[in-house]
Amino acid sequence: MTLRALLILPVAASLLAACSAPNDAAIYRHSVFHTIAWHFGTLAAMAKGSQPFDQATFEDKANILVNLSALPWEGFQPDSAEGSDAKPAIWENRADFDSKANAFQEQARTLARLAAEGDQQAMLAQVGEVGKSCKACHQEYRED
Ligand code: ASC
């Protein structure tokens, strides 16, 4: 390797990293969304019938979801779309994005309330409503 190549490589590598690697804010929100998907996955499996219904587990997961649903939003910092699936439209339509984020949190709170009340049919139906509120945002604001 020539001296020139040795000098250029680190510069090229850092430029490439700046262009394509997710930034810390994106890594933060991705980790929260993955954690949400993990817990929601159990609820969705119960709603689909691919996992047996269990009241205690359902209640536990619904409460976890309420707490997690408040967390991703501070990760959508200005100029943090780079290297992620977040569409620039988030920052162009911030009020709409925020209202969809709030709708998801509201649906999660309803899920936890229904879980505490213990009407199994209502709880399982509400899983679908939570899923719809995830999807509403993904359709407009996430690259698929
Ligand atoms: C999930 C997950 C999503 C949502 C969505 C709901 O578990 O990872 O993106 O639910 O599929 O429609």
Side-chain angles (χ1 to χ4, degrees), residues 33 40 73 87 89-90 93 96-105 107 127-144:
F33 284 128
F40 186 65
W73 321 115
K87 289 185 180 169
I90 292 169
N93 308 322
D96 181 63
F97 176 78
D98 289 345
S99 84
K100 287 181 165 62
N102 287 332
F104 165 59
Q105 294 176 77
Q107 295 294 1
V127 173
E129 295 306 312
V130 176
K132 280 187 211 162
S133 72
C134 300
K135 208 170 173 181
C137 217
H138 293 163
Q139 275 175 334
E140 249 175 281
Y141 296 114
R142 188 183 70 173
E143 303 285 357
D144 27 51

Side-chain angles (χ1 to χ4, degrees), residues 25-94:
I27 291 168
Y28 164 73
R29 61 184 190 246
H30 291 168
S31 63
V32 179
F33 284 128
H34 280 296
T35 309
I36 287 173
W38 176 270
H39 294 287
F40 186 65
T42 302
L43 297 168
M46 286 190 205
K48 277 189 296 188
S50 57
Q51 183 171 326
F53 177 78
D54 179 74
Q55 173 65 30
T57 304
F58 192 109
E59 246 181 285
D60 196 27
K61 298 288 184 187
N63 289 327
I64 289 169
L65 209 59
V66 171
N67 289 317
L68 291 176
S69 70
L71 301 184
W73 321 115
E74 74 175 79
F76 289 90
Q77 292 182 7
D79 303 317
S80 66
E82 195 67 56
S84 82
D85 290 333
K87 289 185 180 169
I90 292 169
W91 291 272
E92 290 153 14
N93 308 322
R94 190 67 203 218

